Amino acid sequence: MVGTDFFGNFDLASAAIWLFWIFFAGLIYYLQTENMREGYPLETDDGAIAPNQGPFPVPKDKTFILRDGRGELTVPSGQHPDRQVLALQRTSKAAGSPYVPTGDAMMDGVGPAAWAPRRDVPELDAHGHAKIKPMSALADFTVSAGRDPRGKPVVTGDGEVVGRVTDMWIDVPEQLVRYLTMDLNPEGTGQTRLIPMNFAKVGSDRVTIRSLYAHNVADIPTIGGGDQITLLEEEKVMAYFGGGTMYADPRRQEPKF
């Protein structure tokens, strides 16, 4: 009965509280090790294995079956062992010292232009269809409010006209414009690049992309599919525009004040 001592001062209430603490400690251990399936084992900024991996061991491999027939993924060992050697150099031997690019930061994908190696497949909606599609392929979508950017010239941060907008890419489930298609020649050459909508300002007579200059436009990462964009391609395009906010002009790397 409750209150009866099993031995000494150890009764049923003591057993219950100790069982709770044991369960809680096991839960913390399980959640922490499951959380280590991505990004582990830890590495230094130079790519070497970090000397301090933390108090918890890396969990054993677990294989996940991906939806929509996209194969399997085994973690943690199935991550990206062939890590790209970044074109960066440490400014000092002291721990925590900043790194500086050693080449073309925007092309090398470092600093603000860094991108993550996401899967090279399109993002899908709940029905297994590609989420982001060009508006020219969507008969049910029209511009119902705001300015239609199609046909407007594209002007970069240095005031140069580098092309014109020919299409928009729509996130179908969210009903948002994600990208603009830009032809690199106002007369139409067929060479196109994508402009992330959050880096574009649509005016009454032009579309402005301040993060890039004219000499950067030809190197905007391209996409492989005609009417699809993969997660990896999105990552690279967004990173390139983000990197331009700092690296398009050397003066942007200097202090403002």
Side-chain angles (χ1 to χ4, degrees):
M1 58 182 295
V2 178
T4 300
D5 294 339
F6 297 131
F7 54 87
N9 293 325
F10 191 83
D11 57 9
L12 185 59
S14 299
I17 193 65
W18 277 106
L19 287 174
F20 168 76
W21 286 122
I22 293 172
F23 164 78
F24 193 66
L27 178 63
I28 293 176
Y29 179 87
Y30 170 78
L31 293 178
Q32 178 60 32
T33 52
E34 287 297 305
N35 186 53
M36 295 169 65
R37 293 195 179 278
E38 184 176 3
Y40 284 81
L42 298 177
E43 297 179 356
T44 65
D45 293 332
D46 297 318
I49 298 298
N52 183 10
Q53 295 292 327
F56 296 94
V58 177
K60 295 181 180 180
D61 280 353
K62 180 184 290 187
T63 299
F64 296 88
I65 300 176
L66 304 179
R67 54 167 287 191
D68 301 308
R70 290 191 165 179
E72 298 178 347
L73 176 65
T74 300
V75 288
S77 66
Q79 297 181 72
H80 300 276
D82 51 344
R83 174 178 172 178
Q84 178 186 5
V85 178
L86 301 179
L88 292 171
Q89 183 178 12
R90 189 187 293 185
T91 55
S92 171
K93 292 184 178 180
S97 299
Y99 284 70
V100 294
T102 57
D104 187 338
M106 293 179 65
M107 298 300 295
D108 295 334
V110 296
W115 49 269
R118 303 177 73 188
R119 302 195 72 203
D120 197 17
V121 293
E123 184 178 5
L124 304 181
D125 61 16
H127 303 287
H129 305 135
K131 285 188 63 178
I132 302 176
K133 297 181 180 180
M135 190 169 176
S136 57
L138 300 170
D140 297 334
F141 280 80
T142 60
V143 178
S144 60
R147 298 187 178 103
D148 189 339
R150 290 173 294 182
K152 297 183 186 297
V154 179
V155 181
T156 51
D158 52 356
E160 297 290 332
V161 177
V162 294
R164 64 182 179 88
V165 177
T166 59
D167 204 353
M168 296 183 286
W169 287 64
I170 311 298
D171 187 324
V172 178
E174 302 294 338
Q175 299 187 15
L176 293 174
V177 179
R178 296 294 188 190
Y179 300 93
L180 302 177
T181 302
M182 171 181 60
D183 193 301
L184 295 187
N185 190 305
E187 303 301 325
T189 63
Q191 299 183 24
T192 60
R193 300 291 189 274
L194 291 186
I195 304 172
M197 192 62 199
N198 52 325
F199 282 97
K201 181 179 180 181
V202 181
S204 59
D205 60 345
R206 68 184 64 185
V207 174
T208 305
I209 47 174
R210 296 188 59 205
S211 65
L212 300 184
Y213 281 4
H215 65 274
N216 304 127
V217 172
D219 293 326
I220 297 174
T222 57
I223 64 174
D227 61 349
Q228 290 186 347
I229 181 171
T230 69
L231 294 169
L232 179 61
E233 290 167 345
E234 286 194 70
E235 186 79 10
K236 290 183 176 181
V237 171
M238 293 290 293
Y240 190 84
F241 276 80
T245 60
M246 183 172 185
Y247 297 127
D249 187 337
R251 291 175 297 182
R252 294 182 175 180
Q253 303 179 44
E254 299 298 327
K256 286 189 175 182
F257 303 103

